[in-house]
Amino acid sequence: MENNFKIRIDEIVEDLGKIQDLNIKIDILNYMEQQAAFLLWQLDEEKRIDENMRNV
């Protein structure tokens, strides 16, 4: 993993740990989970397309 991304992710996690309002923290973490799931879906699609192109 590119170190700059790891640093940025770690900073976000640290900031989230400072949030006192649990409802806000839950909302943020749910949103992050949705975004991560979308990125994983995109990655799967890219891999599928790449595999299909190799089979042509």
Side-chain angles (χ1 to χ4, degrees), residues 9 11-37:
I9 291 168
E11 289 171 349
I12 291 170
V13 170
E14 185 177 327
D15 286 345
L16 287 173
K18 297 174 186 175
I19 295 173
Q20 297 297 315
D21 187 318
L22 291 179
N23 289 324
I24 292 173
K25 189 181 287 190
I26 289 168
D27 286 345
I28 292 169
L29 292 173
N30 283 334
Y31 179 74
M32 289 176 66
E33 186 176 31
Q34 290 171 351
Q35 293 298 93

Side-chain angles (χ1 to χ4, degrees), residues 43-54:
L43 179 61
D44 285 341
E45 284 296 302
E46 289 175 15
K47 287 178 5 183
R48 184 186 60 77
I49 290 168
D50 186 54
E51 289 171 2
N52 287 343
M53 294 298 286
R54 290 181 188 178

